[in-house]
Amino acid sequence: MRPGEGLPPDDPRERLNRARSNLARAQTLIPAAYLEDACFDAQQAAEKAIKAVMVLRGIEYPYFHELHRLLDILEADGERIPDAVRRAEDLTQFATAARYPGLEEPVTEQGHSEAVNRAQAVVQWAEALL
């Protein structure tokens, strides 16, 4: 069975399954792939995990990638946002500028590792809430 089979699209667990999928891709280094692409998957993992929590709380989420804005919406709704999750806000850069050549410095292995760790913290936080 593939992740999410049998879950309706409005089920927060399906959003979390998608976050886990992006996290797995972010963690898997492919020799011919750019680290920026893996960091994009890290950002997507965090974004989808945050949106899973929003669905769980009955919050209709907006379609944008700014993690700090999504977390602010959750916090305004009464959700406590741990520091480790707030640190993931800087992953937003990988949703936009880092995907285009020359707009950002190339991602280093250390930068990739930090991005994955931050995304993992968000996914684990969402898992604990769900």
Side-chain angles (χ1 to χ4, degrees), residues 31-98:
Y34 286 97
L35 290 176
E36 289 80 3
D37 294 340
C39 290
F40 172 72
D41 275 315
Q43 185 280 336
Q44 285 290 287
E47 181 179 332
K48 290 172 185 176
I50 291 166
K51 288 179 176 178
V53 174
M54 295 176 97
V55 170
L56 176 71
R57 294 182 67 95
I59 300 170
E60 191 169 324
Y61 58 81
Y63 289 92
F64 52 67
H65 304 294
E66 293 92 355
L67 300 184
H68 71 280
R69 290 177 59 197
L70 295 171
L71 291 171
D72 287 348
I73 292 168
L74 273 173
E75 194 168 53
D77 192 61
E79 185 63 53
R80 188 181 91 59
I81 309 299
D83 289 341
V85 173
R86 276 285 177 194
R87 282 192 287 278
E89 291 176 347
D90 67 354
L91 294 175
T92 297
Q93 67 181 314
F94 300 118
T96 54

Side-chain angles (χ1 to χ4, degrees), residues 12-32:
R13 295 172 300 167
E14 176 59 11
R15 305 261 190 257
L16 191 53
N17 284 337
R18 296 291 180 135
R20 289 180 185 125
S21 175
N22 282 110
L23 183 60
R25 289 179 8 173
Q27 293 167 326
T28 306
L29 291 180
I30 301 167

